[in-house]
Amino acid sequence: MRTSVLLKNVAKFRDVFDFGGRNVVSWFPGHMAKGLRQMKASLRNVDCVIEIHDARIPLSGRNPMLKESLDIKPHLLILNKMDLADLSDKQRILKELNNQGINNILFTDSFKQHDASIKKVVPAVINLIENSYRYQREENMEYCLMVVGIPNVGKSSLINAIRRVHLKKGKASRVGGQPGITRAVLSKIQVSERPLLYLLDTPGVLPPKIESLEHGMKLALCGTILDHLVGEDVIADYLLFTLNRLENFSYVEKYKLTEPSDKIQEVLKKVAIMHGKFQKVKAITGVGNITITVPNYNAAAADFVRAFRKGDLGKVILD
């Protein structure tokens, strides 16, 4: 009886997200435009382009300008953060990408416990290079790769992981949880001795115009757009909408709710209580102003979204 009531309530949840007239279609800072120009200028010294993207959004948000500008070189698409993605529908994803003309695809996770996926990268790249023309680099015995993608998909982390696997060395490229850590095309970074292999890390480059609000929200949810440009509260609400649409109710147990909810304020109140996120505000009463303690919904929204990005709310595919 209880289960049937819960399912009936879930059936009444939103099936369309209200964007409230927001417009998240343009974010192309100067360093992104500069980075794209630097990539084009560096192409003559590159044997292969590795495009990194988030495995949770394998079909959304990839920058078409990267393909248009850099596709004269062999191309490998790496869907990173596979530990956060639900890969039960992997074959559908591969088929759709193949239909787009993308045939060289790897899934990776750049954390140390999944080095098996990282070990596939260098052999795949060498195979692509050896089966293509190198033009003016034919006599050069070292290989140079360019790593590209939108912000915060793990480009620098992947470079560091390849170095760890092949050179047994630590970090050579800065990493961080916010988009925009890499600001310009860097010097060559050695990642392998045999074969002698170097990588160029590059800044994340978003398309100058995001295809739709839906795509923009998926990018924001995965942290590829700075949160304040969209609003932590909006991202949190879209996250709740998305989890319910995917019938992923992991947040119910995590935050000790009695049942799934379609109301973000209800969920954030539970998050605030669990994590001790409160703030003091002044309230006007008939006998004067008093200070009261209330849940800090902005801080709770940030915590809710952070839990998703860490994988604490289960594995998902947003496309």
Side-chain angles (χ1 to χ4, degrees):
M1 178 67 177
R2 175 67 174 166
T3 301
S4 62
V5 171
L6 289 179
L7 292 176
K8 185 177 180 180
N9 290 338
V10 169
K12 298 177 182 178
F13 286 178
R14 295 170 289 178
D15 54 9
V16 176
F17 187 77
D18 181 9
F19 293 104
R22 292 178 178 85
N23 189 1
V24 192
V25 297
S26 181
W27 189 55
F28 200 65
H31 79 271
M32 289 191 176
K34 178 181 177 181
L36 190 57
R37 289 194 299 269
Q38 290 177 322
M39 290 179 214
K40 292 178 182 178
S42 301
L43 267 185
R44 63 177 297 162
N45 300 317
V46 169
D47 296 299
C48 182
V49 173
I50 300 179
E51 180 187 353
I52 317 293
H53 199 58
D54 194 314
R56 293 169 294 181
I57 45 174
L59 307 175
S60 294
R62 291 177 55 234
N63 188 346
M65 293 177 66
L66 294 175
K67 181 175 175 58
E68 293 166 8
S69 302
L70 310 176
D71 207 28
I72 60 173
K73 297 289 183 176
H75 179 276
L76 174 66
L77 174 62
I78 291 182
L79 295 174
N80 198 31
K81 304 186 181 183
M82 72 178 194
D83 56 311
L84 303 177
D86 177 7
L87 297 183
S88 60
D89 213 6
K90 182 177 177 180
Q91 292 307 312
R92 175 187 67 84
I93 295 168
L94 291 174
K95 183 177 180 180
E96 292 199 35
L97 289 170
N98 291 161
N99 289 339
Q100 296 176 21
I102 304 166
N103 300 306
N104 304 305
I105 306 164
L106 288 179
F107 287 82
T108 63
D109 169 18
S110 50
F111 288 106
K112 192 168 184 177
Q113 60 266 36
H114 295 95
D115 278 348
S117 66
I118 300 298
K119 291 177 180 177
K120 298 177 182 178
V121 175
V122 170
V125 165
I126 297 304
N127 181 63
L128 283 174
I129 295 173
E130 291 181 345
N131 286 282
S132 65
Y133 292 107
R134 295 183 71 203
Y135 301 103
Q136 72 272 16
R137 292 181 53 78
E138 197 69 44
E139 302 301 320
N140 199 322
M141 299 306 294
E142 66 181 42
Y143 298 132
C144 184
L145 318 177
M146 182 182 290
V147 180
V148 304
I150 64 174
N152 206 28
V153 291
K155 296 184 297 297
S156 297
S157 295
L158 186 77
I159 290 174
N160 292 333
I162 296 173
R163 277 175 57 86
R164 183 182 67 237
V165 168
H166 292 281
L167 292 180
K168 312 301 179 187
K169 292 184 178 180
K171 295 179 180 178
S173 198
R174 287 196 303 155
V175 298
Q178 288 289 324
I181 292 295
T182 303
R183 307 289 291 188
V185 177
L186 303 178
S187 301
K188 291 194 300 185
I189 301 169
Q190 185 178 355
V191 294
S192 172
E193 187 70 41
R194 295 182 181 178
L196 187 55
L197 190 64
Y198 294 89
L199 295 183
L200 291 178
D201 193 7
T202 66
V205 180
L206 281 168
K209 186 174 182 180
I210 297 171
E211 185 174 333
S212 67
L213 281 170
E214 192 76 30
H215 282 187
M217 289 306 303
K218 290 178 182 179
L219 290 169
L221 192 51
C222 292
T224 65
I225 299 175
L226 289 169
D227 290 347
H228 72 269
L229 294 175
V230 183
E232 287 86 348
D233 57 332
V234 180
I235 299 174
D237 194 20
Y238 185 75
L239 171 58
L240 179 63
F241 166 77
T242 299
L243 292 175
N244 287 333
R245 182 172 53 84
L246 296 175
E247 297 184 356
N248 176 347
F249 305 122
S250 55
Y251 66 91
V252 175
E253 181 178 357
K254 180 172 177 59
Y255 297 115
K256 299 184 174 12
L257 277 72
T258 57
E259 60 185 3
S261 173
D262 196 33
K263 298 178 180 178
I264 189 60
Q265 293 290 88
E266 290 181 357
V267 175
L268 293 184
K269 184 176 182 179
K270 286 289 188 178
V271 175
I273 293 172
M274 177 171 288
H275 292 171
K277 303 293 184 180
F278 297 98
Q279 61 183 340
K280 293 182 178 181
V281 299
K282 287 184 178 181
I284 301 174
T285 70
V287 294
N289 296 346
I290 61 172
T291 300
I292 60 175
T293 301
V294 298
N296 187 329
Y297 289 104
N298 286 336
D303 280 0
F304 186 42
V305 174
R306 192 178 302 116
F308 166 77
R309 291 173 181 165
K310 289 168 55 181
D312 293 345
L313 298 179
K315 298 182 178 184
V316 302
I317 286 286
L318 302 179
D319 286 331

